Amino acid sequence: MKTDNSALLELDISHRGIAMLDNPTLESAAHIIAENVVSAVERECNDAGFDDLARETVIARLLREILLAMPTRSSRALATACNRALDNTAGVMGLSSPRVEAVSPDDGSVTMRQG
């Protein structure tokens, strides 16, 4: 007999504290963080900006790493995931990327520092 555990999963996620922006799904929360990281990197690199393909590539890599770290309330775990993605993409593109110092698990805001 197959049971639907989606309600249990939802309770488990909210119990762990993932309550970002009215409790979106983990993927939505990860996307908010990824977009914030890319925007911050672009600002830190003197508004150089990524072309569309590069931006989407960096966001996809960030999403992958962030989702592997979720669900978590740890700013450090989220920052480490973001930095791993930046190391594996921006570094390959020849960019010296700033580092993610902290990620707010409440609203997805990021704090950057020069790497």
Side-chain angles (χ1 to χ4, degrees), residues 9-112:
L9 178 61
E10 187 173 335
L11 289 174
D12 185 50
I13 291 169
S14 62
H15 172 72
R16 290 180 136 170
I18 299 299
M20 296 173 56
L21 304 176
D22 298 323
N23 199 17
T25 65
L26 291 179
E27 189 171 336
S28 295
H31 200 272
I32 290 167
I33 294 168
E35 288 282 350
N36 287 342
V37 169
V38 168
S39 294
V41 167
E42 289 175 322
R43 276 191 309 275
E44 293 289 323
C45 293
N46 299 321
D47 292 320
F50 295 112
D51 63 42
D52 290 341
L53 179 60
R55 190 176 216 289
E56 290 305 313
T57 300
V58 175
I59 287 173
R61 299 270 175 111
L62 282 162
L63 281 170
R64 180 182 182 282
E65 293 295 336
I66 293 165
L67 286 168
L68 287 172
M70 291 179 117
T72 184
R73 295 283 308 153
S74 170
S75 174
R76 178 176 287 176
L78 293 170
T80 299
C82 291
N83 287 325
R84 188 172 27 256
L86 290 174
D87 289 344
N88 292 331
T89 52
V92 171
M93 296 169 152
L95 300 172
S96 62
S97 173
R99 308 296 289 164
V100 178
E101 186 172 319
V103 177
S104 169
D106 294 322
D107 65 5
S109 60
V110 298
T111 304
M112 305 294 286

